[in-house]
Amino acid sequence: MPPSSLSKALFQRFGNLRVPAVHPLVLALAVSCLFVLFYNGQFWSAVLGWWPGRSFHDLAFLASIGLFLAVVFNLVLQFFAFPRLLKPVLIVLILTAAGVAWFASSYGAMMDRTMIANVIETDTREVGDLMSWRFLLHMSLYGVLPAALVAMVPLRLSGFRREALYRGGAALGSVALVGLIAVFFFQDYAVLVRGHREVRFMINPSAAVYATVRYATAVPEGMTATFERVAAHVERGPRPAGMGGKKTVLVFVVGETARADHFSLNGYGRDTNPQLEKRGVVSFGNVWSCGTSTAESVPCMFSDLPRSQYSSGRAAFRENLLDILVRADVDVLWLENNSSCKGVCARVPARTTWEADDKRFCTDGECLDDLLVDQLRQAISANNDRDLVVVMHQIGSHGPSYFKRYTQDYRRFAPTCDTNQLQSCSQEQIVNTYDDSILYTDRILAETIDVLEDASGRFNTAMLYVSDHGESLGESGIYLHGMPYMFAPDTQKHVPMVFWASPGYRRASFLDIACVRAESGKEFSHDNLFHSVLGMFDVRTDVYRAELDLLAPCRQGAAVAHAAGLPAPDQTARP
């Protein structure tokens, strides 16, 4: 049979096929059940693990959870159960639920406001790293196909009285079922929720919808706020006499996705920091991040607000560390090789690496961190005898494509996971690839120190490196980062921090490097960064807190020595 005849026969057979019309309430209930049964794998896996009992009561309770979710979903959807409104709402929810289900099952992701911020504020390069044929197949089967079926189903309504009866009965029936479940299983629900508060971030798609609403409603509130100047006055302390009057250049490296426990400087079994070890840096091994994602941590790192008081909406309209440095007559330059500075560099000069399109370091719109070092060298060379802070925001160990973060000659730990589909790799392969990226970061930081050493004849130079957050590498089935802070594993919060200073900087600031080493084992966090950088430039302002300055204890006695014209202790030997 020729193709034209075949097409005609198929049309004659199926062309008159009619999909029966259904009531909007029936469609809403069907989709609610679909969400519970097919889009909540992470939720059910967690609940079954938390509730090991399998008595008749336990099984009835577990079954009631599915019934409870279906009823609540359906109760909410009843407000949208009108022909012109229901289908668009269901289609959006199905596509959302399909995407959430993929990232929940593949990476252990949970949906809170910070995760939604990560999704909305990401760029095309990060999206590309997360795309795969498996993801597209999943979205086709669990997103596009059911959404298309919903779009095809015709809806019908009854007369006014019957509609009122249907809708009133459906609402009352839903409420009655929830009440009945509460009567029999309230204590069980209380035990489950109190013991595992993270369960609310696993319910799909309600967690994503709630988090999106929270994110969206926070934006207008911030936009109407007045920009807040947090430092009433800003001034610099007097420069020490007899130091040649050299200006200070600080490179503040914001790392990406680095874990403290994968730095050999902190005792990791693999030698992931051979270059930094040779340069005698000080490693702070007990440092904790403000958040578990770039969107949360980076603005928090530069804010005067401690993590306990921090919110991204408040920080967006509040003076940050860079603003105060500019007021203190310090030049600031932000070099970006990640998604963005998350608003921190909005009022200072900034450059992005992908705009340079440097073929030596960039491929397909992504650049290695070598380009940051190259741009740093240029910035220092062009510095016209000014105090300068250069912030280098790395791509670092950004996943899931860890294999893209280093050159092939740094493929030291093998076998590696040379794909963005981490689920197809063993944990050994993932860890090997991640460690290769840490080894490459070691090289980038070492080259940064070399650039600063070369400039130490003109400037007093220093480098401070700290990662924005950590990373999960498959432990307990969790990958990447971005989990709600209270539930996130330490691997996403325990971050490396490294400090280096030239002899000239140590002499000029009366810094006892042996003291810094002695202090490095204490517990610190991102809360210390704002005050430490201000202290490094002797910026005197009402928001500076010496007790949060990492280096303040090691400048003790400096004022006395300076006033007496005596040399500060331990300032001649290199670290």
Side-chain angles (χ1 to χ4, degrees):
M1 182 181 293
S4 58
S5 300
L6 178 61
S7 301
K8 184 177 180 180
L10 290 173
F11 179 80
Q12 289 174 345
R13 184 174 181 83
F14 298 106
N16 295 323
L17 183 65
R18 293 289 184 267
V19 179
V22 300
H23 194 278
L25 293 176
V26 174
L27 182 60
L29 178 61
V31 173
S32 297
C33 295
L34 191 74
F35 287 148
V36 173
L37 294 174
F38 296 103
Y39 295 82
N40 273 280
Q42 181 195 46
F43 169 82
W44 285 116
S45 178
V47 169
L48 292 174
W50 294 333
W51 203 270
R54 292 298 181 266
S55 67
F56 176 78
H57 178 86
D58 293 323
L59 294 176
F61 167 62
L62 293 172
S64 80
I65 295 176
L67 178 61
F68 174 81
L69 290 179
V71 170
V72 172
F73 286 158
N74 183 54
L75 185 60
V76 173
L77 289 176
Q78 287 179 28
F79 291 98
F80 304 94
F82 300 94
R84 293 182 181 274
L85 182 61
L86 182 62
K87 286 186 180 182
V89 170
L90 292 182
I91 289 171
V92 170
L93 288 177
I94 288 170
L95 294 174
T96 299
V100 170
W102 168 262
F103 288 104
S105 62
S106 299
Y107 302 113
M110 294 185 191
M111 289 295 128
D112 66 344
R113 190 185 63 81
T114 301
M115 184 63 74
I116 295 300
N118 294 334
V119 172
I120 294 175
E121 296 175 16
T122 192
D123 60 14
T124 55
R125 299 178 306 153
E126 292 181 337
V127 171
D129 282 344
L130 293 169
M131 292 297 102
S132 67
W133 67 267
R134 292 185 180 181
F135 171 74
L136 296 176
L137 178 61
H138 170 90
M139 289 301 296
S140 298
L141 294 177
Y142 288 87
V144 176
L145 179 59
L149 292 175
V150 165
M152 291 172 54
V153 174
L155 299 177
R156 61 173 175 80
L157 292 176
S158 302
F160 178 79
R161 291 184 179 180
R162 186 166 293 182
E163 276 296 312
L165 181 64
Y166 286 163
R167 292 176 184 274
L172 289 175
S174 298
V175 172
L177 271 175
V178 171
L180 193 63
I181 292 171
V183 168
F184 286 100
F185 300 107
F186 177 80
Q187 190 61 40
D188 301 280
Y189 279 93
V191 170
L192 178 66
V193 173
R194 288 172 185 168
H196 304 281
R197 290 180 294 171
E198 65 269 33
V199 68
R200 68 183 187 273
F201 298 114
M202 299 181 180
I203 301 174
N204 188 18
S206 59
V209 172
Y210 175 71
T212 302
V213 171
R214 282 194 62 201
Y215 176 84
T217 54
V219 173
E221 179 183 350
M223 289 176 66
T224 61
T226 302
F227 186 82
E228 183 178 357
R229 175 170 281 196
V230 301
H233 70 275
V234 175
E235 62 181 15
R236 299 284 296 279
R239 293 186 178 276
M243 295 299 174
K246 290 195 295 186
K247 303 295 186 178
T248 297
V249 173
L250 168 67
V251 177
F252 187 171
V253 184
V254 179
E256 170 64 37
T257 319
R259 284 169 53 158
D261 63 348
H262 279 245
F263 267 46
S264 57
L265 288 171
N266 297 328
Y268 186 46
R270 285 177 165 173
D271 190 12
T272 53
N273 303 125
Q275 298 301 319
L276 288 175
E277 190 74 44
K278 293 177 182 176
R279 285 155 180 80
V281 300
V282 178
S283 179
F284 294 80
N286 191 11
V287 180
W288 299 85
S289 68
C290 183
T292 62
S293 69
T294 303
E296 192 78 4
S297 280
V298 169
C300 187
M301 291 167 70
F302 290 84
S303 173
D304 67 303
L305 297 170
R307 192 185 76 81
S308 59
Q309 301 175 23
Y310 173 82
S311 71
S312 56
R314 186 179 179 189
F317 294 87
R318 186 179 178 90
E319 192 174 42
N320 63 42
L321 172 63
L322 303 187
D323 299 314
I324 294 176
L325 288 172
V326 170
R327 290 176 60 192
D329 199 31
V330 177
D331 285 354
V332 176
L333 173 64
W334 185 286
L335 301 179
E336 179 63 50
N337 194 33
N338 205 303
S339 55
S340 76
C341 69
K342 307 303 179 185
V344 175
C345 64
R347 294 167 295 277
V348 300
R351 301 176 194 167
T352 55
T353 54
W354 54 89
E355 290 177 348
D357 193 27
D358 193 318
K359 302 302 182 185
R360 296 173 298 167
F361 310 118
C362 304
T363 305
D364 298 328
E366 290 193 9
C367 302
L368 293 168
D369 285 328
D370 299 74
L371 186 51
L372 291 175
V373 180
D374 192 65
Q375 292 182 344
L376 169 66
R377 188 178 290 108
Q378 297 174 29
I380 293 178
S381 177
N383 183 12
N384 188 22
D385 196 30
R386 296 272 299 170
D387 288 315
L388 174 66
V389 172
V390 179
V391 182
M392 292 168 41
H393 189 193
Q394 292 183 298
I395 192 68
S397 300
H398 198 292
S401 299
Y402 306 121
F403 68 99
K404 292 183 178 181
R405 309 305 171 216
Y406 54 87
T407 55
Q408 283 304 303
D409 54 323
Y410 273 77
R411 191 174 180 268
R412 305 284 176 83
F413 306 110
T416 55
C417 179
D418 298 329
T419 175
N420 63 355
Q421 300 179 50
L422 298 181
Q423 309 87 341
S424 64
C425 299
S426 67
Q427 189 173 14
E428 177 192 11
Q429 291 174 309
I430 295 170
V431 171
N432 287 340
T433 315
Y434 179 82
D435 284 349
D436 284 338
S437 72
I438 296 294
L439 187 68
Y440 202 74
T441 289
D442 174 74
R443 169 203 159 168
I444 297 299
L445 297 179
E447 290 187 354
T448 299
I449 292 173
D450 292 345
V451 171
L452 293 174
E453 277 201 306
D454 290 342
S456 61
R458 295 176 56 204
F459 303 100
N460 298 319
T461 57
M463 182 197 78
L464 180 63
Y465 163 86
V466 61
S467 186
D468 59 350
H469 53 78
E471 185 86 330
S472 289
L473 301 174
E475 301 92 347
S476 302
I478 301 173
Y479 298 87
L480 304 180
H481 52 269
M483 290 185 68
Y485 197 90
M486 68 176 71
F487 309 120
D490 287 349
T491 57
Q492 295 188 24
K493 298 183 288 189
H494 187 200
V495 295
M497 183 163 70
V498 174
F499 175 72
W500 174 90
S502 68
Y505 176 83
R506 298 200 304 271
R507 286 194 299 270
S509 59
F510 299 98
L511 184 65
D512 183 348
I513 200 65
C515 171
V516 177
R517 292 188 188 284
E519 293 283 310
S520 65
K522 294 182 179 180
E523 182 174 336
F524 298 104
S525 73
H526 283 168
D527 290 351
N528 297 97
L529 298 175
F530 176 91
H531 308 278
S532 300
V533 174
L534 290 181
M536 292 181 72
F537 284 87
D538 197 13
V539 176
R540 302 183 178 186
T541 175
D542 48 313
V543 291
Y544 168 76
R545 293 173 57 187
E547 69 272 17
L548 291 177
D549 184 342
L550 293 163
L551 305 178
C554 300
R555 288 192 290 262
Q556 291 177 354
V560 175
H562 182 210
L566 301 174
D570 191 32
Q571 300 305 309
T572 55
R574 290 192 56 183

